């Protein structure tokens, strides 16, 4: 059974939409991930998680939305960034197009932390239109279910955690000979309790936050399996739940 929307004909898509009200959309970014990782890291990982879950649950999956909210990485070459406003509109309108065919439950698999605020707004606004959107982020699963797999310094941007996922999923585009460890710098005006509008380059020269040399495909595979199993659980729970129990309604 086909699960990727772009591989279906319109009649096959009709067949799916007539029987199902759920879909998965992977989103990510195209931004620097240190000297060893591909720029596509965030959207490639999101796509892999979404497609595997779609296959194992028979759920429709859209093409990945590759560009995200990444202007804070722009000093590093090849980072393609769009504004939160544009990203939000693009994702929201994609969801609304799905809802035209009866989709009421949408799982957004987000591969880039910088997209989160915009996605939370999209989900809130669509719930008002009786479309339920959940946002899934793989690294949060690692926090909860694999807390001992990495040290804190291995969990930063482009560090061992993310690099391990790349090594497990597409090792041919990772160059571990270029992997570095770099402790992020604190800006001189930083004190406790402040949020500063700084860029990645203000903290790291290589683009890596922490330790990336300890990455391994084995760790990546472990993360991938754990993450996909958790997402399968979520998708199945959504399937079992009526939309009436997911959208807002007045108190009785
Ligand atoms: Zn990333």
């Amino acid at each position: 059974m086909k699960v990727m929307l772009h591989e279906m004909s319109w009649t096959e898509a009709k067949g799916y939409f007539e029987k199902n009200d759920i879909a998965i959309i992977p989103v990510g970014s195209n931004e620097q991930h240190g000297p060893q990782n591909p720029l596509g890291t965030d959207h490639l990982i999101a796509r892999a998680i979404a497609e595997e879950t779609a296959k194992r649950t028979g759920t429709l999956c859209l093409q990945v939305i590759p560009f995200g909210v990444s202007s804070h990485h722009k000093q590093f070459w090849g980072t393609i960034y769009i504004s939160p406003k544009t990203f939000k509109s693009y994702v929201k309108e994609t969801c609304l197009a799905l809802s035209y065919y009866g989709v009421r439950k949408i799982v957004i698999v987000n591969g880039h932390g910088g997209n989160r605020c915009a996605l939370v707004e999209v989900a809130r606004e669509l719930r008002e239109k009786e479309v339920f959107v959940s946002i899934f982020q793989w690294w949060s699963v690692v926090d909860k279910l694999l807390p001992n797999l990495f040290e804190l310094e291995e969990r930063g941007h482009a560090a061992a955690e993310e690099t391990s996922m790349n090594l497990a999923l597409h090792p041919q585009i990772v160059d571990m000979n270029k992997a570095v460890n770099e402790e992020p710098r604190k800006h001189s005006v930083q004190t406790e309790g402040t949020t500063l509008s700084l860029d990645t380059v203000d903290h790291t020269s290589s683009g890596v936050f922490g330790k990336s040399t300890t990455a391994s495909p084995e760790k990546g595979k472990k993360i991938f399996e754990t993450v996909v199993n958790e997402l399968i659980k979520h998708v199945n729970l959504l399937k079992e739940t009526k939309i009436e129990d997911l959208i807002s309604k007045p108190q009785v």
Side-chain angles (χ1 to χ4, degrees):
M1 180 195 155
K2 288 181 193 169
V3 291
M4 296 305 299
L5 182 66
H6 68 283
E7 293 177 0
M8 293 178 182
S9 66
W10 75 265
T11 53
E12 286 169 332
K14 182 171 182 267
Y16 178 87
F17 289 126
E18 280 173 346
K19 291 193 208 78
N20 299 277
D21 66 351
I22 184 165
I24 302 173
I25 311 176
V27 305
S29 67
N30 193 87
E31 69 186 35
Q32 77 80 21
H33 274 79
Q36 80 277 23
N37 287 307
L39 292 161
T41 293
D42 288 350
H43 80 258
L44 294 173
I45 294 174
R47 187 181 76 179
I49 293 167
E51 289 188 12
E52 187 64 20
T53 304
K55 274 186 220 147
R56 292 204 217 163
T57 57
T59 308
L60 183 81
C61 183
L62 267 61
Q63 299 93 314
V64 69
I65 295 176
F67 303 125
V69 182
S70 293
S71 68
H72 51 291
H73 289 289
K74 70 181 173 198
Q75 292 85 354
F76 295 90
W77 300 65
T79 297
I80 305 298
Y81 53 97
I82 57 172
S83 69
K85 192 171 167 230
T86 302
F87 177 72
K88 197 182 140 184
S89 299
Y90 198 98
V91 174
K92 188 176 173 183
E93 289 176 28
T94 305
C95 293
L96 287 172
L98 279 171
S99 77
Y100 182 70
Y101 303 111
V103 170
R104 307 287 298 281
K105 303 162 188 170
I106 299 171
V107 179
I108 296 182
V109 177
N110 179 32
H112 171 53
N115 294 340
R116 192 176 176 278
C117 290
L119 292 173
V120 168
E121 287 182 25
V122 169
R124 175 57 57 188
E125 289 171 17
L126 286 175
R127 193 162 180 253
E128 294 298 312
K129 295 186 182 298
E130 306 197 340
V131 175
F132 187 78
V133 176
S134 58
I135 303 155
F136 181 86
Q137 301 192 142
W138 65 268
W139 55 92
S140 305
V141 176
V142 182
D143 285 343
K144 297 285 177 204
L145 302 184
L146 299 168
N148 303 318
L149 197 59
F150 297 104
E151 303 293 327
L152 193 60
E153 57 183 0
E154 296 175 293
R155 301 207 60 210
H157 179 85
E161 181 183 63
E162 256 188 329
T163 306
S164 295
M165 279 291 257
N166 280 332
L167 285 173
L169 296 170
H170 28 254
Q172 70 284 4
I173 49 172
V174 183
D175 186 352
M176 283 306 284
N177 294 322
K178 294 185 179 152
V180 294
N181 301 328
E182 182 173 351
E183 201 180 321
R185 295 183 296 274
K186 230 176 160 185
H187 197 280
S188 58
V189 301
Q190 180 78 56
T191 55
E192 292 306 328
T194 48
T195 299
L196 304 175
S197 179
L198 295 169
D199 293 317
T200 299
V201 76
D202 297 312
H203 302 289
T204 158
S205 322
S206 64
V208 175
F209 283 76
K211 197 181 197 182
S212 74
T213 52
T214 46
S216 77
E218 293 74 26
K219 284 182 180 173
K221 279 178 192 140
K222 192 165 184 181
I223 299 174
F224 187 72
E225 269 312 305
T226 307
V227 163
V228 167
N229 283 332
E230 199 61 16
L231 185 53
I232 288 172
K233 231 191 269 176
H234 178 61
V235 167
N236 287 334
L237 283 169
L238 281 180
K239 285 185 179 181
E240 288 163 16
T241 308
K242 288 197 217 88
I243 185 67
E244 293 73 31
D245 295 328
L246 294 166
I247 55 174
S248 85
K249 47 194 167 298
Q251 175 66 307
V252 283

